[in-house]
Amino acid sequence: MPATLPDGWEQGSSGTIYDYIRVATFAIGPDGRIAQWSDRAAQFFGVPAAEAVGADPITAFIPRELWQRGRARLERILSGEEWVGTAPYRDLSGAESLAEVYAMPDSADGSATCLAVDLGRLRAIETDLAASEAVIGQTPTGFFLFDTDLKLQRVNAAFATGLGRTPAALQGLAPGDVFRPSDADRLLLALRKVLTGQEPVLDLRISGPARPGHGPAGRDDDQRTWAVSLYRLTAAGGRPIGVAGQVQDVTSRHIAEREAAGVRRSLALLNEASTHIGSTLDLETTAKELLDVIVPQFCDVATVDLYTALLTGDSSLTANPENGELRRVAVSSVVGNAPSVLGSERGGVRVAEAGGTLCYPPRSPHARALRTGRSVVPQPGPDPLLRSTLVVPLVARDQVLGLVQLSRAIGSEPFDAREVAIAEELVARAAVCVDNARLYRREHERALILQRSLLPPGNPAASGLEIARRYLPSNNNTEVGGDWFDVIPLPGSRTALVIGDVMGRGLRAAVAMGQLRTAVRTLAMLDLDPEEVLSALDEIARGLGNDDAEPDRAGAEVYLATCVYAVYDAVKQRCTFANAGHLPPVLLAPGERARMLDVPPGLPLGVGGEPFEEVTVDLPEGAVLGLYTDGLVESRKHQLDEGLKAFRTALTNGSDRLEELCDQVLDELNPHHGEDDIALLMAKVHALPAGSVGDWRLPPEPTSVARAREAACGWLLERGLDELVDTSELLVSELVTNALRHGRGEIRLRLLRDRTMVCEVWDDAYAQPRQRRAQETDEGGRGLQLVSLLAERWGSRRTPKGKIVWFELSL
C-alpha cells in the first residue's frame, strides 16, 4: 500500500527541495557492484542506469589514486559498517565535485543502500538557514510566520515581547487570539489576499498593546501603532507554504502623521471659514455659516447663542453680561436625539432649541465664559451621547456678543489644547462678522426709518387725480437705496408729481434723498416751472457731498440723482414734464396701449452745465400716468428694454382700478427683479365736475371791483356755498382792488371748487405782494393782513405776464 502524501503533492513531482539540493540514491550488491541506479542518480552523476548497473563504483566514479582507500571503505560497508563521508565525483559537465555520501548496509543480504547529496548545495542551505536564524532572532523588528491555515507557525522574540508573551505561547494562535477584533479582522483579510496570490501588503496599520508605563490596554490614546508588511512564502515550484510578516513599531510616526493631518485639517478649516463665514450682513445667517463650517468637520454638535439685546438693535447689550438673556439663533447636530441640543435640562441649565431664549446661572461655565470672555471646558456631564464640550465666547471689539458651544460625541477624540485654539480662532473670525452684521443692522434700520419717514404717508390727495403708490426695498436687504417719490398739492387745483433716485446706496444716499425731497417741496411752494425746479435741484445736488464746498467749486464732492418733475393742472387736464436723466413716464390712455412719453431725458442732477426742457401733454379722462424707478424694470438678468416692454404690457392688460393695477404691475415685474429698491407712483385722471370753475375777465376800471364781488357771490350761491359768501365777497374785493392799484392791464378772476374753494386774481404786475405790519396812522396796508386772517391759506405765484394772488377757504 503506497504511503499517503501531503495535500497538493504528487508521486514523482518535480520542483521539490530534493531537486534543489540534488539528492541521488543507488544500491550496491553483495558482490560490491552497483545493483540499482535511480533516475536522480543518473542525473546526479551523469551516467545512465544501463551503464551504471553492474559497474564497480570505485573504478567508475572515484579517481584512480583513491581506488585503494575506496575499496577498503566499501568492504567495511558491505560487512555491516555505516559510513558518512565525502567522495569526489564528476557531474554531467565533467567537472569534479564533492558529494556527501550516506551508506546504509543491509546485514541480511550483505548489500548497501547509498544516498548522495551535492555538498556545495547542502553547505549553501546550511548557510542560508544560519543567516535566517540570525536575522530573525536578532532583528529588533518583529517577525511572524502564518501557515496555510493562517495559524502562527513561528515568531521571533521581538514580536513576542511586543505582545507581552513568549514565542512558545503564540504557537498555533489565530489573528483573533492575538489582536483586538477590529485589527484581527483587517489582518485576517490581508493574510487571505496575500496567500491566494495577490500582491504583498505593505504598511498595514494595526494597534499593539499599551506602551509600558501607560494606562490599561484598550485605551486609544495609549495603544501602540504597528506597521505590518505581508508577503507570501512559496516552496520550489511556487507552492505556497504560508505568509510571513514583518512588524515595525511606528507609534511616534503615527502620532506625528496624525498631528500633521490635524494641522492640515485645521488650516483647511480656517481657510473655509475665511471664505464661507460673513458672506452676508445678517446676524442669523452668519451664525449658521459658522456651524456649517465646524459641523461635522470639527465637532458633532454646536449651538450659537446671541444676546437678545443685540438682535433687537440695543447698542448697550447688558450691564451684567453673565445674567443677560440670550437667544439661540443656530443649532447644528449630527448626533441623533442629542438631549443637550434638543431641549432638556442639564446641570440645572435649561438648554433651548433654535429660536428659544435662555439665561445661564451665574456659577455655570457658560456664565463664566460670558463674564471673562475666555473659553471654558466644562467637566463631562451625564449626557450619554456627548464625550466633551467646549464653550467659546463671541468677542468683538472688546464686547461679548454671545456664546458658541461645541460638543463631540462618544467615540470621538476630546478637545485638546491645539483644537481649543483652533475653535477660538474660528469663533473670533465669526465674532467679527457678527459684530459687522450688528453694526450694519443698526445703521440699516436707521436708514430705513429715515427713508420711510421722508416718503409721503398714506395715499396723498390731488386735484383731479386718483393716486396710488408703492415702495418696495430690494430683496437682498443689504443697504437702503435713494429712491423717493412725492405728491405736492399746488395752488389752482394743480399737483406736482415727483419721482427720483439717488445713485448709490446706504445711509448717505438716504440722507441725500431726504435733502433733495425737502428741496423739491420748497421749490414747489415757490410755484416755479418744472425746468426751473430741476435747475435749482441740480445746483443743490452738486453741493450735497461736501457741506463746506461751494456748489460749483472744482473738486467738490457731488451726489448724482435722476428725477422727473411733473405739474398737473386739473382745470386744463394738462401735465408739464421735465426730466433729469430719469426713465421716461408711461401713459396709458383709454382704448390705447401704454406708451412711453417723449420727454427729453436731460442730464442727472449734480452734473450741471446743461439746461432742462419742458414738455406739455394733454391727459384725457381716465388716462393713467406712471412714474417709476429703474428697480422695477431693470436687473442683471433682464435688460432695460425687456423690463420696459413688460411694464407697458402689464399696464395695457391690467385692471381698470388703480390700486389693483399697481399690485398687478408689481406681481408681473418684481419676482423677476428685486435687486434694487422699487418706487412706483401712478395717477389716474378724473376730470373736475361740471361747474367747478368760474372764470371772468374784468377791465382795469374801478367798477370791476363791484362786478367781481357780484360774480363771486352769485357763483357761490348757485352752488350752495352760502356760508362762504360774506368772507369771499370781502377777500375778492381786496384782491381785485390791489390788482387795480398795482397793475395796468386786464384783470382775471377765477373761482375753483375742489377739496377747498380757491379764488385766484390775475394781473400784469410782476411785483409780489408782501404782507407788512401797518401802523395806526397808515391808511392802507391792512388788506393782506385781512386775507391772512380770514383765509385758510393764501399766496402768490408768477406767470409769464405777471402774477396770480390766491386764497383758499375750507368747505
Side-chain angles (χ1 to χ4, degrees):
M1 182 176 180
T4 303
L5 298 176
D7 293 342
W9 288 30
E10 297 178 358
Q11 291 276 5
S13 64
S14 61
T16 66
I17 191 172
Y18 303 109
D19 297 311
Y20 178 76
I21 62 175
R22 300 190 67 198
V23 177
T25 59
F26 59 93
I28 299 176
D31 57 358
R33 295 184 178 278
I34 298 174
Q36 291 183 357
W37 192 256
S38 67
D39 292 339
R40 289 187 181 276
Q43 295 174 0
F44 189 92
F45 294 103
V47 177
E51 295 181 9
V53 174
D56 183 351
I58 303 300
T59 60
F61 300 105
I62 297 176
R64 185 180 184 88
E65 63 271 15
L66 299 178
W67 283 359
Q68 184 175 359
R69 292 175 55 188
R71 188 167 298 281
R73 175 61 61 188
L74 179 59
E75 290 176 356
R76 290 198 296 272
I77 293 172
L78 293 176
S79 62
E81 179 183 339
E82 288 189 3
W83 178 77
V84 176
T86 60
Y89 75 97
R90 290 184 177 87
D91 58 15
L92 288 174
S93 64
E96 289 189 0
S97 299
L98 283 177
E100 185 172 275
V101 179
Y102 178 32
M104 296 169 287
D106 188 354
S107 57
D109 57 2
S111 64
T113 301
C114 298
L115 178 67
V117 179
D118 188 315
L119 189 59
R121 295 285 181 90
L122 187 61
R123 294 294 180 262
I125 292 177
E126 290 176 348
T127 302
D128 290 344
L129 290 175
S132 298
E133 288 291 337
V135 170
I136 295 174
Q138 298 174 15
T139 181
T141 59
F143 175 85
F144 58 77
L145 174 62
F146 282 91
D147 60 18
T148 55
D149 294 329
L150 301 184
K151 304 289 186 179
L152 276 173
Q153 186 70 22
R154 183 177 182 184
V155 300
N156 68 350
F159 181 73
T161 302
L163 291 174
R165 303 187 188 184
T166 63
L170 295 174
Q171 290 284 346
L173 297 183
D177 302 324
V178 180
F179 302 101
R180 63 183 184 180
S182 59
D183 290 327
D185 292 342
R186 292 169 53 240
L187 179 59
L188 190 60
L189 179 62
L191 289 170
R192 288 171 177 167
K193 288 183 177 179
V194 173
L195 188 62
T196 55
Q198 298 189 17
E199 295 295 326
V201 173
L202 304 177
D203 203 27
L204 173 66
R205 299 294 177 91
I206 61 176
S207 297
R211 289 169 287 175
H214 288 70
R219 283 184 51 183
D220 293 340
D221 51 355
D222 291 329
Q223 290 286 336
R224 280 187 291 180
T225 301
W226 284 345
V228 178
S229 297
L230 303 174
Y231 54 94
R232 188 172 69 164
L233 293 179
T234 57
R239 177 177 54 84
I241 60 175
V243 178
Q246 188 175 9
V247 181
Q248 185 175 4
D249 191 331
V250 293
T251 304
S252 299
R253 188 174 73 183
H254 178 71
I255 293 174
E257 290 174 351
R258 186 172 60 181
E259 291 179 352
V263 171
R264 288 193 296 269
R265 286 194 301 269
S266 299
L267 292 176
L269 200 64
L270 292 174
N271 181 62
E272 183 181 359
S274 300
T275 57
H276 188 72
I277 301 175
S279 62
T280 68
L281 288 172
D282 181 74
L283 286 168
E284 291 80 0
T285 301
T286 301
K288 293 175 182 177
E289 289 173 345
L290 170 62
L291 300 193
D292 290 341
V293 170
I294 62 178
V295 178
Q297 295 90 333
F298 188 75
C299 62
D300 302 311
V301 181
T303 61
V304 178
D305 304 333
L306 298 179
Y307 279 116
T308 304
L310 182 147
L311 297 171
T312 57
D314 189 353
S315 57
S316 59
L317 294 182
T318 175
N320 193 5
E322 67 268 27
N323 292 331
E325 183 182 75
L326 296 98
R327 181 179 301 166
R328 181 145 293 171
V329 296
V331 174
S332 182
S333 172
V334 292
V335 180
N337 196 28
S340 60
V341 173
L342 300 181
S344 67
E345 291 195 3
R346 176 178 178 182
V349 179
R350 178 182 175 273
V351 182
E353 299 178 2
T357 58
L358 63 159
C359 290
Y360 292 107
R363 295 186 178 181
S364 66
H366 305 77
R368 186 164 72 254
L370 290 171
R371 181 174 61 253
T372 63
R374 297 180 179 178
S375 301
V376 177
V377 180
Q379 293 297 323
D383 195 329
L385 297 178
L386 302 182
R387 176 173 186 177
S388 62
T389 297
L390 174 63
V391 179
V392 184
L394 279 157
V395 183
R397 298 176 178 90
D398 297 326
Q399 189 172 35
V400 179
L401 308 177
L403 285 176
V404 177
Q405 178 174 304
L406 307 93
S407 299
R408 287 181 173 174
I410 295 295
S412 301
E413 295 289 335
F415 294 106
D416 56 25
R418 178 181 57 82
E419 291 172 327
V420 171
I422 293 296
E424 290 174 344
E425 176 66 21
L426 288 170
V427 174
R429 296 188 182 194
V432 173
C433 297
V434 168
D435 196 51
N436 290 340
R438 174 181 71 90
L439 296 176
Y440 163 75
R441 175 176 288 188
R442 184 176 65 185
E443 178 180 347
H444 184 259
E445 289 177 351
R446 292 175 179 176
L448 280 179
I449 293 173
L450 172 63
Q451 185 184 47
R452 289 171 179 171
S453 67
L454 295 174
L455 297 175
N459 286 327
S463 296
L465 293 176
E466 178 188 353
I467 301 294
R469 85 286 183 279
R470 298 289 187 273
Y471 177 81
L472 298 178
S474 61
N475 290 343
N476 56 32
N477 200 29
T478 54
E479 288 184 318
V480 295
D483 295 13
W484 95 92
F485 60 87
D486 209 346
V487 178
I488 307 170
L490 298 177
S493 295
R494 295 174 306 132
T495 303
L497 303 174
V498 191
I499 195 161
D501 184 2
V502 176
M503 299 180 187
R505 302 185 66 80
L507 185 58
R508 298 183 66 189
V511 171
M513 177 270 285
Q515 292 174 305
L516 289 177
R517 178 180 179 272
T518 301
V520 169
R521 279 191 161 264
T522 302
L523 295 170
M525 290 298 101
L526 297 178
D527 219 343
L528 301 177
D529 293 337
E531 61 181 7
E532 295 176 309
V533 171
L534 292 186
S535 296
L537 280 178
D538 180 61
E539 293 293 330
I540 294 171
R542 286 196 285 165
L544 285 182
N546 190 339
D547 294 338
D548 298 328
E550 294 295 331
D552 58 348
R553 192 179 72 185
E557 184 180 4
V558 298
Y559 268 97
L560 298 181
T562 61
C563 180
V564 169
Y565 185 86
V567 175
Y568 174 70
D569 189 331
V571 177
K572 299 178 181 179
Q573 287 187 216
R574 181 177 298 170
C575 191
T576 302
F577 299 90
N579 190 354
H582 202 81
L583 294 172
V586 176
L587 178 63
L588 175 63
E592 299 179 6
R593 297 187 63 83
R595 61 185 176 90
M596 298 292 174
L597 293 178
D598 187 12
V599 179
L603 295 177
L605 302 175
V607 175
E610 292 293 334
F612 298 97
E613 300 181 44
E614 290 184 355
V615 171
T616 300
V617 179
D618 292 326
L619 302 181
E621 169 73 16
V624 175
L625 179 66
L627 304 177
Y628 53 96
T629 57
D630 57 357
L632 180 69
V633 294
E634 187 177 23
S635 72
R636 288 177 295 181
K637 297 181 180 180
H638 298 80
Q639 298 297 322
L640 178 60
D641 291 343
E642 297 177 10
L644 292 174
K645 180 179 179 180
F647 183 30
R648 295 194 301 269
T649 301
L651 285 177
T652 303
N653 300 329
S655 171
D656 292 335
R657 298 182 179 181
L658 194 61
E659 290 291 338
E660 292 182 4
L661 181 59
C662 261
D663 293 335
Q664 290 172 355
V665 168
L666 291 180
D667 290 341
E668 288 288 333
L669 275 69
N670 186 39
H672 305 292
H673 304 289
E675 298 170 0
D676 195 4
D677 293 353
I678 295 176
L680 176 63
L681 177 63
M682 300 183 70
K684 188 171 186 178
V685 175
H686 295 290
L688 296 177
S692 298
V693 181
D695 198 345
W696 299 271
R697 307 278 178 161
L698 304 172
E701 300 173 356
T703 57
S704 294
V705 176
R707 292 174 58 187
R709 288 198 302 266
E710 181 180 355
C713 293
W715 189 84
L716 292 172
L717 290 173
E718 288 177 3
R719 285 152 184 79
L721 302 177
D722 302 37
E723 69 278 4
L724 302 182
V725 170
D726 293 339
T727 303
S728 298
E729 183 179 11
L730 178 60
L731 299 184
V732 166
S733 178
E734 182 62 33
L735 294 187
V736 173
T737 299
N738 286 342
L740 284 171
R741 181 177 300 171
H742 301 289
R744 294 181 300 275
E746 184 182 52
I747 300 171
R748 182 181 178 187
L749 170 66
R750 188 170 74 172
L751 299 180
L752 304 173
R753 180 181 180 179
D754 192 14
R755 299 185 311 276
T756 62
M757 196 286 291
V758 181
C759 174
E760 299 175 326
V761 176
W762 274 260
D763 63 50
D764 59 359
Y766 288 100
Q768 298 293 313
R770 181 173 59 88
Q771 183 179 352
R772 62 184 179 86
R773 186 180 298 278
Q775 302 297 322
E776 295 181 358
T777 57
D778 291 342
E779 296 182 358
R782 296 178 177 82
L784 291 182
Q785 292 184 6
L786 185 64
V787 173
S788 177
L789 179 64
L790 297 179
E792 187 74 22
R793 292 193 308 157
W794 78 279
S796 66
R797 67 179 185 274
R798 294 180 304 165
T799 66
K801 297 181 180 181
K803 67 177 180 297
I804 300 173
V805 183
W806 56 271
F807 67 85
E808 288 184 4
L809 297 177
S810 299
L811 297 179

